[in-house]
Amino acid sequence: METAAPVTFRSIRASDLELLREFVRKLSRDTAYRRLLSGRTPSEEELVRWTAIDPAREAAVVATTGRGPDERLAGVARYVMESPDDTDFAIVLADAWQRRGLGRALLERLVAMARVHGVRRLSGLTLSTNIPMLSLARALGFRARRQADAFTTMLTLDLPGEAMPAAYHPVSCEFHDVLEALATTRRRTQIRFNGSDGLPQQRDAVIQDVFSREGAEYIVISSGETLRLDQLVAVDGAQAAQAAR
Ligand SMILES: CC(C)(COP(=O)(O)OP(=O)(O)OC[C@H]1O[C@@H](n2cnc3c(N)ncnc32)[C@H](O)[C@@H]1OP(=O)(O)O)[C@@H](O)C(=O)NCCC(=O)NCCS
């Protein structure tokens, strides 16, 4: 990705309300129209709902620049899961950030989150004239079907479960406790893990959630990524250990 300023990826939080309000206010008319498929301004109730998300059925990854009082949103990608087969996604970038690879980076992260949360199909409606969105979606494997009205096109990505490694190897209770404690204190920590390509990776991040789904356990970290616990190598200096069988 070609960027002038460093970009950080993380999950959205309720305290991002002001950042989101500012981000939305600065969007060009064209960008806002493409996102909402209408010229309306989002209501306060929508802004609150878009930041204080329900993690059981929603995910939103933000790309930010700057730190502390200088932090700004550069883009947001989100989905809302009505059911695993009916999950609606949307993405929008600040005008200055378009066409620099950030849309692809955000949407790839959202798709990875959807996979581990058991979403089987992501779909979203876009204007049939929205060439950037149609091209980005096609590049990531979405199908595009023009709707009967011809003005809109439905983008769909099927997420078969086999992308996940088969058997989950549970971690030890002691290591699980370390993760729970870090998720409670929200302390920044060093996380070493094996990426999906098998290569070692490292993040300096906050553990935001520990959850289990369909017999496997996961953490959500502040980079916006979701990691299966048996991918972890060490967290906060504690070596990952598997449960005794
Ligand atoms: C649609 C949007 C998210 C794309 O993000 P982006 O960061 O501009 O796209 P990227 O730079 O990551 O480009 C990824 C791919 O998309 C395609 N693409 C992006 N912009 C394009 C454009 N203007 N023309 C043609 N293809 C384009 C290309 O295939 C590109 O791959 P390449 O760089 O190898 O050519 C962004 O333009 C945006 O926020 N638009 C306004 C809101 C919106 O339309 N939302 C969609 C409705 S849900």
Side-chain angles (χ1 to χ4, degrees):
M1 191 175 67
E2 167 207 326
T3 57
V7 176
T8 303
F9 297 98
R10 61 170 174 79
S11 298
I12 207 163
R13 25 187 198 241
S15 56
D16 288 331
L17 183 59
E18 279 311 316
L19 284 183
L20 187 69
R21 187 179 287 125
E22 183 70 1
F23 172 80
V24 167
R25 194 179 63 75
K26 288 190 175 156
L27 293 177
S28 68
R29 260 182 48 201
D30 187 43
T31 291
Y33 191 89
R34 286 169 185 238
R35 163 65 178 89
L36 292 174
L37 310 184
S38 98
R40 69 187 180 82
T41 308
S43 67
E44 183 63 19
E45 192 258 329
E46 280 176 309
L47 294 176
V48 170
R49 188 151 40 79
W50 291 342
T51 40
I53 61 169
D54 170 5
R57 50 186 286 275
E58 290 177 80
V61 196
V62 292
T64 65
T65 58
R67 281 181 179 266
D70 296 328
E71 192 181 29
R72 300 283 179 273
L73 292 190
V76 189
R78 64 176 63 246
Y79 68 70
V80 182
M81 185 164 34
E82 299 302 337
S83 78
D85 291 323
D86 179 14
T87 298
D88 205 41
F89 84 95
I91 179 167
V92 59
L93 302 190
D95 287 77
W97 278 97
Q98 293 175 20
R99 210 62 236 262
R100 294 164 70 177
L102 188 57
R104 179 191 275 265
L106 265 177
L107 199 50
E108 281 176 348
R109 280 174 166 75
L110 193 75
V111 169
M113 285 173 107
R115 256 184 223 285
V116 295
H117 281 94
V119 171
R120 289 191 290 264
R121 173 173 290 173
L122 271 178
S123 2
L125 210 53
T126 192
L127 291 172
S128 301
T129 51
N130 191 345
I131 303 300
M133 187 61 221
L134 293 172
S135 316
L136 168 60
R138 285 205 180 97
L140 295 191
F142 284 77
R143 277 179 287 125
R145 181 167 299 149
R146 198 176 267 240
Q147 301 298 280
D149 63 15
F151 293 111
T152 56
T153 294
M154 182 59 82
L155 300 168
T156 310
L157 181 69
D158 289 320
L159 301 171
E162 74 261 10
M164 283 305 294
Y168 171 65
H169 302 289
V171 297
S172 69
C173 293
E174 292 75 18
F175 188 62
H176 199 274
D177 288 348
V178 170
L179 299 173
E180 289 281 2
L182 286 164
T184 308
T185 54
R186 299 260 157 155
R187 185 161 56 77
R188 248 190 136 67
T189 189
Q190 237 183 41
I191 302 167
R192 289 199 289 125
F193 62 98
N194 294 316
S196 47
D197 51 7
L199 295 175
Q201 306 234 23
Q202 187 163 317
R203 301 280 183 274
D204 188 21
V206 174
I207 297 178
Q208 297 178 319
D209 193 16
V210 185
F211 70 94
S212 52
R213 181 177 297 271
E214 293 174 5
E217 295 164 298
Y218 302 87
I219 51 172
V220 181
I221 63 175
S222 51
S223 58
E225 293 161 294
T226 302
L227 306 174
R228 212 167 83 161
L229 299 198
D230 57 358
Q231 280 179 268
L232 300 174
V233 176
V235 170
D236 202 31
Q239 294 292 321
Q242 288 185 358
R245 291 167 181 242

PDB file of all heavy atoms in Angstrom, residues 9-10 14 31 33 39 57 62 98 104 111 120-121 123 127 139 148 166 172 182 188 194-195 209 225:
ATOM      1  N   PHE A   9      -4.620   0.095  11.736  1.00  0.00           N
ATOM      2  CA  PHE A   9      -5.930  -0.547  11.608  1.00  0.00           C
ATOM      3  C   PHE A   9      -6.359  -1.023  12.988  1.00  0.00           C
ATOM      4  O   PHE A   9      -5.554  -1.596  13.717  1.00  0.00           O
ATOM      5  CB  PHE A   9      -5.853  -1.756  10.673  1.00  0.00           C
ATOM      6  CG  PHE A   9      -5.478  -1.378   9.269  1.00  0.00           C
ATOM      7  CD1 PHE A   9      -4.167  -1.485   8.831  1.00  0.00           C
ATOM      8  CD2 PHE A   9      -6.437  -0.904   8.397  1.00  0.00           C
ATOM      9  CE1 PHE A   9      -3.817  -1.132   7.540  1.00  0.00           C
ATOM     10  CE2 PHE A   9      -6.095  -0.541   7.104  1.00  0.00           C
ATOM     11  CZ  PHE A   9      -4.784  -0.649   6.675  1.00  0.00           C
ATOM     12  N   ARG A  10      -7.609  -0.793  13.330  1.00  0.00           N
ATOM     13  CA  ARG A  10      -8.139  -1.302  14.599  1.00  0.00           C
ATOM     14  C   ARG A  10      -9.654  -1.401  14.489  1.00  0.00           C
ATOM     15  O   ARG A  10     -10.256  -0.831  13.552  1.00  0.00           O
ATOM     16  CB  ARG A  10      -7.735  -0.405  15.777  1.00  0.00           C
ATOM     17  CG  ARG A  10      -8.239   1.021  15.678  1.00  0.00           C
ATOM     18  CD  ARG A  10      -8.002   1.756  16.996  1.00  0.00           C
ATOM     19  NE  ARG A  10      -8.348   3.167  16.905  1.00  0.00           N
ATOM     20  CZ  ARG A  10      -9.564   3.669  16.970  1.00  0.00           C
ATOM     21  NH1 ARG A  10     -10.619   2.847  17.087  1.00  0.00           N
ATOM     22  NH2 ARG A  10      -9.780   4.967  16.885  1.00  0.00           N
ATOM     23  N   ALA A  14     -16.827   2.809  20.761  1.00  0.00           N
ATOM     24  CA  ALA A  14     -17.877   3.806  21.012  1.00  0.00           C
ATOM     25  C   ALA A  14     -17.272   5.212  21.128  1.00  0.00           C
ATOM     26  O   ALA A  14     -17.881   6.193  20.696  1.00  0.00           O
ATOM     27  CB  ALA A  14     -18.645   3.426  22.271  1.00  0.00           C
ATOM     28  N   THR A  31     -18.537  11.140  -2.600  1.00  0.00           N
ATOM     29  CA  THR A  31     -18.160   9.981  -1.770  1.00  0.00           C
ATOM     30  C   THR A  31     -19.307   9.604  -0.840  1.00  0.00           C
ATOM     31  O   THR A  31     -19.652   8.423  -0.705  1.00  0.00           O
ATOM     32  CB  THR A  31     -16.875  10.305  -0.979  1.00  0.00           C
ATOM     33  OG1 THR A  31     -15.798  10.378  -1.905  1.00  0.00           O
ATOM     34  CG2 THR A  31     -16.566   9.253   0.062  1.00  0.00           C
ATOM     35  N   TYR A  33     -22.442  10.180  -1.225  1.00  0.00           N
ATOM     36  CA  TYR A  33     -23.549   9.644  -2.023  1.00  0.00           C
ATOM     37  C   TYR A  33     -23.289   8.179  -2.379  1.00  0.00           C
ATOM     38  O   TYR A  33     -24.168   7.325  -2.299  1.00  0.00           O
ATOM     39  CB  TYR A  33     -23.730  10.477  -3.293  1.00  0.00           C
ATOM     40  CG  TYR A  33     -25.003  10.155  -4.023  1.00  0.00           C
ATOM     41  CD1 TYR A  33     -26.184  10.834  -3.724  1.00  0.00           C
ATOM     42  CD2 TYR A  33     -25.038   9.149  -4.982  1.00  0.00           C
ATOM     43  CE1 TYR A  33     -27.366  10.519  -4.376  1.00  0.00           C
ATOM     44  CE2 TYR A  33     -26.214   8.824  -5.637  1.00  0.00           C
ATOM     45  CZ  TYR A  33     -27.370   9.515  -5.329  1.00  0.00           C
ATOM     46  OH  TYR A  33     -28.535   9.189  -5.966  1.00  0.00           O
ATOM     47  N   GLY A  39     -28.357  11.317  -1.086  1.00  0.00           N
ATOM     48  CA  GLY A  39     -27.684  12.565  -0.722  1.00  0.00           C
ATOM     49  C   GLY A  39     -27.946  12.989   0.704  1.00  0.00           C
ATOM     50  O   GLY A  39     -27.585  14.094   1.101  1.00  0.00           O
ATOM     51  N   ARG A  57     -22.854  -9.386  16.363  1.00  0.00           N
ATOM     52  CA  ARG A  57     -23.345  -9.471  14.980  1.00  0.00           C
ATOM     53  C   ARG A  57     -22.752  -8.421  14.045  1.00  0.00           C
ATOM     54  O   ARG A  57     -23.095  -8.383  12.872  1.00  0.00           O
ATOM     55  CB  ARG A  57     -24.877  -9.409  14.951  1.00  0.00           C
ATOM     56  CG  ARG A  57     -25.469  -8.252  15.754  1.00  0.00           C
ATOM     57  CD  ARG A  57     -26.967  -8.319  15.811  1.00  0.00           C
ATOM     58  NE  ARG A  57     -27.577  -7.944  14.552  1.00  0.00           N
ATOM     59  CZ  ARG A  57     -27.836  -6.695  14.195  1.00  0.00           C
ATOM     60  NH1 ARG A  57     -27.547  -5.688  14.990  1.00  0.00           N
ATOM     61  NH2 ARG A  57     -28.412  -6.442  13.038  1.00  0.00           N
ATOM     62  N   VAL A  62     -11.466   0.303  11.344  1.00  0.00           N
ATOM     63  CA  VAL A  62     -11.143   1.666  10.905  1.00  0.00           C
ATOM     64  C   VAL A  62      -9.661   1.734  10.577  1.00  0.00           C
ATOM     65  O   VAL A  62      -8.839   1.023  11.162  1.00  0.00           O
ATOM     66  CB  VAL A  62     -11.494   2.735  11.977  1.00  0.00           C
ATOM     67  CG1 VAL A  62     -12.986   2.844  12.163  1.00  0.00           C
ATOM     68  CG2 VAL A  62     -10.805   2.473  13.300  1.00  0.00           C
ATOM     69  N   GLN A  98      -8.416   7.852  -1.205  1.00  0.00           N
ATOM     70  CA  GLN A  98      -8.874   6.926  -2.234  1.00  0.00           C
ATOM     71  C   GLN A  98      -7.787   6.690  -3.282  1.00  0.00           C
ATOM     72  O   GLN A  98      -6.943   7.533  -3.527  1.00  0.00           O
ATOM     73  CB  GLN A  98     -10.153   7.474  -2.880  1.00  0.00           C
ATOM     74  CG  GLN A  98     -11.305   7.463  -1.876  1.00  0.00           C
ATOM     75  CD  GLN A  98     -12.578   8.091  -2.376  1.00  0.00           C
ATOM     76  OE1 GLN A  98     -12.792   8.231  -3.561  1.00  0.00           O
ATOM     77  NE2 GLN A  98     -13.435   8.485  -1.444  1.00  0.00           N
ATOM     78  N   ARG A 104      -8.528  -1.661  -0.481  1.00  0.00           N
ATOM     79  CA  ARG A 104      -8.224  -3.094  -0.550  1.00  0.00           C
ATOM     80  C   ARG A 104      -7.773  -3.603   0.820  1.00  0.00           C
ATOM     81  O   ARG A 104      -8.241  -4.644   1.289  1.00  0.00           O
ATOM     82  CB  ARG A 104      -7.134  -3.345  -1.590  1.00  0.00           C
ATOM     83  CG  ARG A 104      -6.752  -4.788  -1.711  1.00  0.00           C
ATOM     84  CD  ARG A 104      -5.501  -4.924  -2.536  1.00  0.00           C
ATOM     85  NE  ARG A 104      -5.774  -4.962  -3.953  1.00  0.00           N
ATOM     86  CZ  ARG A 104      -5.918  -6.094  -4.655  1.00  0.00           C
ATOM     87  NH1 ARG A 104      -5.824  -7.258  -4.050  1.00  0.00           N
ATOM     88  NH2 ARG A 104      -6.142  -6.066  -5.941  1.00  0.00           N
ATOM     89  N   VAL A 111     -13.027  -8.964   5.437  1.00  0.00           N
ATOM     90  CA  VAL A 111     -13.343 -10.319   4.956  1.00  0.00           C
ATOM     91  C   VAL A 111     -12.737 -11.362   5.901  1.00  0.00           C
ATOM     92  O   VAL A 111     -13.381 -12.352   6.259  1.00  0.00           O
ATOM     93  CB  VAL A 111     -12.830 -10.521   3.505  1.00  0.00           C
ATOM     94  CG1 VAL A 111     -12.903 -11.982   3.097  1.00  0.00           C
ATOM     95  CG2 VAL A 111     -13.632  -9.650   2.535  1.00  0.00           C
ATOM     96  N   ARG A 120     -21.041 -16.595   6.196  1.00  0.00           N
ATOM     97  CA  ARG A 120     -20.900 -17.443   5.003  1.00  0.00           C
ATOM     98  C   ARG A 120     -21.046 -16.647   3.709  1.00  0.00           C
ATOM     99  O   ARG A 120     -20.616 -17.079   2.660  1.00  0.00           O
ATOM    100  CB  ARG A 120     -21.923 -18.581   5.044  1.00  0.00           C
ATOM    101  CG  ARG A 120     -21.567 -19.609   6.127  1.00  0.00           C
ATOM    102  CD  ARG A 120     -22.413 -20.844   5.996  1.00  0.00           C
ATOM    103  NE  ARG A 120     -23.792 -20.582   6.360  1.00  0.00           N
ATOM    104  CZ  ARG A 120     -24.291 -20.819   7.559  1.00  0.00           C
ATOM    105  NH1 ARG A 120     -23.532 -21.314   8.498  1.00  0.00           N
ATOM    106  NH2 ARG A 120     -25.558 -20.568   7.809  1.00  0.00           N
ATOM    107  N   ARG A 121     -21.688 -15.475   3.815  1.00  0.00           N
ATOM    108  CA  ARG A 121     -21.839 -14.670   2.596  1.00  0.00           C
ATOM    109  C   ARG A 121     -21.877 -13.186   2.967  1.00  0.00           C
ATOM    110  O   ARG A 121     -22.642 -12.763   3.826  1.00  0.00           O
ATOM    111  CB  ARG A 121     -23.135 -15.042   1.888  1.00  0.00           C
ATOM    112  CG  ARG A 121     -23.430 -14.122   0.724  1.00  0.00           C
ATOM    113  CD  ARG A 121     -24.610 -14.584  -0.059  1.00  0.00           C
ATOM    114  NE  ARG A 121     -24.306 -15.804  -0.782  1.00  0.00           N
ATOM    115  CZ  ARG A 121     -25.214 -16.510  -1.453  1.00  0.00           C
ATOM    116  NH1 ARG A 121     -26.453 -16.126  -1.479  1.00  0.00           N
ATOM    117  NH2 ARG A 121     -24.866 -17.591  -2.090  1.00  0.00           N
ATOM    118  N   SER A 123     -22.619  -9.444   1.452  1.00  0.00           N
ATOM    119  CA  SER A 123     -23.177  -8.769   0.280  1.00  0.00           C
ATOM    120  C   SER A 123     -23.364  -7.285   0.543  1.00  0.00           C
ATOM    121  O   SER A 123     -23.520  -6.867   1.691  1.00  0.00           O
ATOM    122  CB  SER A 123     -24.529  -9.341  -0.162  1.00  0.00           C
ATOM    123  OG  SER A 123     -24.964 -10.338   0.661  1.00  0.00           O
ATOM    124  N   LEU A 127     -23.709   1.516  -6.368  1.00  0.00           N
ATOM    125  CA  LEU A 127     -24.218   2.109  -7.611  1.00  0.00           C
ATOM    126  C   LEU A 127     -23.565   1.394  -8.794  1.00  0.00           C
ATOM    127  O   LEU A 127     -22.358   1.121  -8.752  1.00  0.00           O
ATOM    128  CB  LEU A 127     -23.878   3.596  -7.676  1.00  0.00           C
ATOM    129  CG  LEU A 127     -24.595   4.495  -6.681  1.00  0.00           C
ATOM    130  CD1 LEU A 127     -24.011   5.904  -6.746  1.00  0.00           C
ATOM    131  CD2 LEU A 127     -26.092   4.525  -6.974  1.00  0.00           C
ATOM    132  N   ALA A 139     -11.669  -7.482  -7.691  1.00  0.00           N
ATOM    133  CA  ALA A 139     -10.274  -7.863  -7.401  1.00  0.00           C
ATOM    134  C   ALA A 139     -10.208  -8.797  -6.190  1.00  0.00           C
ATOM    135  O   ALA A 139      -9.300  -9.613  -6.075  1.00  0.00           O
ATOM    136  CB  ALA A 139      -9.425  -6.617  -7.165  1.00  0.00           C
ATOM    137  N   ALA A 148     -32.552  -5.229 -10.870  1.00  0.00           N
ATOM    138  CA  ALA A 148     -33.581  -4.960 -11.881  1.00  0.00           C
ATOM    139  C   ALA A 148     -33.688  -3.464 -12.182  1.00  0.00           C
ATOM    140  O   ALA A 148     -33.964  -3.078 -13.319  1.00  0.00           O
ATOM    141  CB  ALA A 148     -34.919  -5.496 -11.392  1.00  0.00           C
ATOM    142  N   ALA A 166      -8.316 -27.021   9.841  1.00  0.00           N
ATOM    143  CA  ALA A 166      -9.320 -27.961  10.335  1.00  0.00           C
ATOM    144  C   ALA A 166      -9.400 -28.023  11.859  1.00  0.00           C
ATOM    145  O   ALA A 166     -10.231 -27.361  12.468  1.00  0.00           O
ATOM    146  CB  ALA A 166      -9.047 -29.321   9.738  1.00  0.00           C
ATOM    147  N   SER A 172      -3.654 -23.979  26.942  1.00  0.00           N
ATOM    148  CA  SER A 172      -3.771 -24.328  28.362  1.00  0.00           C
ATOM    149  C   SER A 172      -4.618 -23.286  29.098  1.00  0.00           C
ATOM    150  O   SER A 172      -4.731 -22.141  28.650  1.00  0.00           O
ATOM    151  CB  SER A 172      -2.378 -24.389  28.999  1.00  0.00           C
ATOM    152  OG  SER A 172      -1.841 -23.082  29.059  1.00  0.00           O
ATOM    153  N   LEU A 182      -5.350  -9.760  30.098  1.00  0.00           N
ATOM    154  CA  LEU A 182      -4.925  -8.666  29.209  1.00  0.00           C
ATOM    155  C   LEU A 182      -6.139  -8.004  28.547  1.00  0.00           C
ATOM    156  O   LEU A 182      -6.149  -6.793  28.329  1.00  0.00           O
ATOM    157  CB  LEU A 182      -3.963  -9.194  28.145  1.00  0.00           C
ATOM    158  CG  LEU A 182      -2.553  -9.499  28.672  1.00  0.00           C
ATOM    159  CD1 LEU A 182      -1.787 -10.367  27.684  1.00  0.00           C
ATOM    160  CD2 LEU A 182      -1.792  -8.202  28.942  1.00  0.00           C
ATOM    161  N   ARG A 188      -1.534  -2.446  26.375  1.00  0.00           N
ATOM    162  CA  ARG A 188      -0.840  -2.747  25.108  1.00  0.00           C
ATOM    163  C   ARG A 188       0.192  -3.820  25.350  1.00  0.00           C
ATOM    164  O   ARG A 188       0.893  -3.779  26.363  1.00  0.00           O
ATOM    165  CB  ARG A 188      -0.121  -1.485  24.615  1.00  0.00           C
ATOM    166  CG  ARG A 188      -0.698  -0.929  23.377  1.00  0.00           C
ATOM    167  CD  ARG A 188       0.131   0.140  22.754  1.00  0.00           C
ATOM    168  NE  ARG A 188       0.196  -0.078  21.329  1.00  0.00           N
ATOM    169  CZ  ARG A 188      -0.841   0.035  20.520  1.00  0.00           C
ATOM    170  NH1 ARG A 188      -2.023   0.378  20.998  1.00  0.00           N
ATOM    171  NH2 ARG A 188      -0.712  -0.180  19.237  1.00  0.00           N
ATOM    172  N   ASN A 194       1.664 -17.116  14.428  1.00  0.00           N
ATOM    173  CA  ASN A 194       1.919 -17.622  13.079  1.00  0.00           C
ATOM    174  C   ASN A 194       0.785 -17.144  12.179  1.00  0.00           C
ATOM    175  O   ASN A 194      -0.389 -17.415  12.461  1.00  0.00           O
ATOM    176  CB  ASN A 194       1.971 -19.151  13.079  1.00  0.00           C
ATOM    177  CG  ASN A 194       3.181 -19.637  13.868  1.00  0.00           C
ATOM    178  OD1 ASN A 194       4.285 -19.108  13.726  1.00  0.00           O
ATOM    179  ND2 ASN A 194       2.968 -20.625  14.728  1.00  0.00           N
ATOM    180  N   GLY A 195       1.127 -16.416  11.116  1.00  0.00           N
ATOM    181  CA  GLY A 195       0.113 -15.926  10.184  1.00  0.00           C
ATOM    182  C   GLY A 195      -0.515 -17.074   9.416  1.00  0.00           C
ATOM    183  O   GLY A 195      -0.037 -18.210   9.485  1.00  0.00           O
ATOM    184  N   ASP A 209     -10.906  -8.596  22.972  1.00  0.00           N
ATOM    185  CA  ASP A 209     -11.956  -9.571  23.266  1.00  0.00           C
ATOM    186  C   ASP A 209     -11.369 -10.977  23.169  1.00  0.00           C
ATOM    187  O   ASP A 209     -10.447 -11.213  22.381  1.00  0.00           O
ATOM    188  CB  ASP A 209     -13.098  -9.402  22.243  1.00  0.00           C
ATOM    189  CG  ASP A 209     -14.355 -10.138  22.657  1.00  0.00           C
ATOM    190  OD1 ASP A 209     -14.470 -10.522  23.837  1.00  0.00           O
ATOM    191  OD2 ASP A 209     -15.222 -10.344  21.793  1.00  0.00           O
ATOM    192  N   GLU A 225      -7.525  -7.280  13.724  1.00  0.00           N
ATOM    193  CA  GLU A 225      -7.402  -8.685  13.339  1.00  0.00           C
ATOM    194  C   GLU A 225      -8.018  -9.610  14.393  1.00  0.00           C
ATOM    195  O   GLU A 225      -8.064  -9.256  15.575  1.00  0.00           O
ATOM    196  CB  GLU A 225      -5.928  -9.051  13.161  1.00  0.00           C
ATOM    197  CG  GLU A 225      -5.293  -8.354  11.979  1.00  0.00           C
ATOM    198  CD  GLU A 225      -3.780  -8.342  12.063  1.00  0.00           C
ATOM    199  OE1 GLU A 225      -3.241  -7.690  12.978  1.00  0.00           O
ATOM    200  OE2 GLU A 225      -3.146  -8.976  11.226  1.00  0.00           O
TER     201      GLU A 225
END
